[in-house]
Amino acid sequence: MLLINVIGFVFMLYDKQSARKSIRRIPEKTLFTFAFLGGSAGVFLGMLFFRHKTKHITFTLLIPSLTAVHIIVYFFIRNTLF
């Protein structure tokens, strides 16, 4: 979980820098895929920290919601199994 969140955070940094330099960007589909696979907290923190994708309604609604779901599922699984 930690690794995929770090990757999501770094992807947001790279995409922000790429946008500033007008070079090839990371597709939004890739960012959403990493968020869906468990990296939503990293992508969300990257959004806030780098102020990236904050004007995109899909990011501002979906990523925080997905982060909340992942946190709830994590604590549910943690409390159920341990």
Side-chain angles (χ1 to χ4, degrees):
M1 282 293 282
L2 181 62
L3 179 62
I4 197 161
N5 280 293
V6 169
I7 292 170
F9 186 80
V10 171
F11 273 11
M12 292 300 280
L13 169 63
Y14 178 80
D15 195 53
K16 177 69 172 193
Q17 291 174 341
S18 298
R20 287 183 176 165
K21 296 176 184 177
S22 297
I23 59 175
R24 188 174 178 161
R25 311 263 309 270
I26 296 174
E28 288 185 358
K29 182 178 179 180
T30 303
L31 296 173
F32 279 121
T33 300
F34 266 88
F36 181 75
L37 293 175
S40 60
V43 172
F44 184 51
L45 289 174
M47 280 177 57
L48 297 176
F49 191 75
F50 305 119
R51 294 185 184 168
H52 188 51
K53 302 281 187 189
T54 56
K55 293 183 180 180
H56 294 220
I57 193 77
T58 53
F59 275 88
T60 58
L61 293 177
L62 185 63
I63 298 299
S65 301
L66 195 54
T67 302
V69 168
H70 282 157
I71 290 170
I72 291 167
V73 168
Y74 170 77
F75 282 109
F76 178 77
I77 290 172
R78 187 174 147 237
N79 290 333
T80 304
L81 296 177
F82 300 107

